[in-house]
Structure formats: structure tokens, C-alpha cells
Amino acid sequence: MPSVTIGSNEYDVYADLPTADAYLAAQISATDWNDPATTDDMKSAALVSMTRTIDRQQWQGTQTDGYETHAFPRTDLKYADGTEVDPNIVPDAVVNACMEGAAQLVGGAAFQDAATTFNNVKDLKAGTVDIAYFRTIDESPRFPQVVMELIGLWLNNGSGGVVGSLSSGTGRRTTFNDTYDVRQGF
């Protein structure tokens, strides 16, 4: 497992500093990460924070035996195309999500302090001040969009992956057949 050093302490992370620097060097949204004023300790702390945030989530599958320090690698995961994820390596998508999230943390994103990244502002006015909010949706993503695009497929939403059901019937009786998870459509 890669690691970073902050002061005299070493921390295991999904992506080390040289890998993150190379990955984010050409990332237009990583201007704060690439700013010369951003210290290696700040970047390393962001990588540690993002690794810990990933590890705190509920994921599909189970931790691979012998790798219990972090949430990944995991068994019983599949990519969107249905192929099996190697249960003995951390998927590139997790490594990339760690770096993308760390760059956002360095840039000032506060998604670690919020239960969701859902923006519930419906209306905002300047003259005579008026702000209205949509009702908060519990199923809103925990991570920023770019991280969800990379690893959201494997998130367990706390109900075994169930996000809906199929209702059918035209008479007095309605039947609920199948449940669907984030890997299969209606």
C-alpha cells in the first residue's frame, strides 16, 4: 500500500504524493493542488483525509482477507460492464477517486463536513434577500460528482443496494416483483 509522510509519521493511503502530483499536474480543476504555495504536507494530509473518507463508507462486497487495514481491495465487486474486479488489488478507480477528492479538499471543498453534496438551493435573490430550499433528499451523493463517477457504482446505500421496485397489476391487487440495485436498470 502506498504511503505519505507528515512530520515523522507515515500513513497508508490509496495514492502516494508523487502519483497524485503526476495525475493532477494536468487537471484543470486542481489549480490549488498545483499552486507552488501548497505544501507537500497539505497535499499529504488531503490524501490521508480522502483515504479515511473512502474507508468510512459502506461498500458492496467484503474486504479481501489479509487487507483489512482499508476498505479496498474487496471481493464480489463488478465493473459497470459486468467484469469482476480483481479482489487482490485496489482498483485504479479508487486510487483516482482518492486523488480527485484530495485535490478538492486542498481547493477548499467541505464535503467531509456535510452529510451530502446535494445542493438544495432552489431560488436565490439579491434584492430584498430571498433564499428558498428544496427538501433534502437522503439518497444524495456523499462524494463530489467526479468521485461518484469513479467509485459510486460500488457504494452500498445502506439498504443492500435496493433503490426501487417494480409495481404491476391492473386489478385490485398490486404485486411488487423484483428489487433493483445500482448495477441493474428497471
Side-chain angles (χ1 to χ4, degrees):
M1 174 86 33
S3 65
V4 294
T5 303
I6 303 171
S8 60
N9 298 316
E10 191 169 322
Y11 302 90
D12 289 338
V13 290
Y14 288 117
D16 61 20
L17 193 53
T19 303
D21 281 342
Y23 178 88
L24 295 167
Q27 185 82 358
I28 197 159
S29 63
T31 53
D32 290 322
W33 183 277
N34 295 311
D35 187 331
T38 303
T39 66
D40 285 352
D41 278 353
M42 182 183 290
K43 293 177 183 180
S44 295
L47 289 166
V48 171
S49 295
M50 193 60 199
T51 296
R52 290 175 178 172
T53 302
I54 290 170
D55 287 346
R56 283 192 299 267
Q57 306 314 302
Q58 293 181 13
W59 298 101
Q60 296 173 8
T62 55
Q63 289 176 306
T64 302
D65 288 339
Y67 295 98
E68 288 84 7
T69 304
H70 293 287
F72 289 88
R74 300 185 76 75
T75 62
D76 303 319
L77 294 181
K78 292 185 180 185
Y79 291 104
D81 67 2
T83 58
E84 297 283 333
V85 174
D86 185 337
N88 296 307
I89 62 167
V90 175
D92 288 342
V94 173
V95 175
N96 293 345
C98 181
M99 294 182 291
E100 293 277 1
Q104 290 203 10
L105 289 172
V106 166
F111 61 87
Q112 285 188 308
D113 297 333
T116 177
T117 57
F118 178 71
N119 182 350
N120 64 350
V121 175
K122 176 178 87 172
D123 188 21
L124 179 64
K125 293 181 182 178
T128 66
V129 184
D130 181 20
I131 299 176
Y133 294 96
F134 285 115
R135 183 174 48 111
T136 303
I137 300 170
D138 294 334
E139 291 83 22
S140 299
R142 170 67 175 97
F143 292 116
Q145 181 63 32
V146 66
V147 174
M148 289 299 292
E149 289 170 358
L150 290 164
I151 59 176
L153 171 68
W154 301 318
L155 269 172
N156 184 350
N157 68 2
S159 60
V162 176
V163 295
S165 64
L166 177 64
S167 174
S168 63
T170 56
R172 293 182 182 189
R173 190 173 129 192
T174 301
T175 59
F176 294 96
N177 294 332
D178 297 318
T179 57
Y180 296 89
D181 63 26
V182 294
R183 293 172 288 171
Q184 118 191 63
F186 290 99

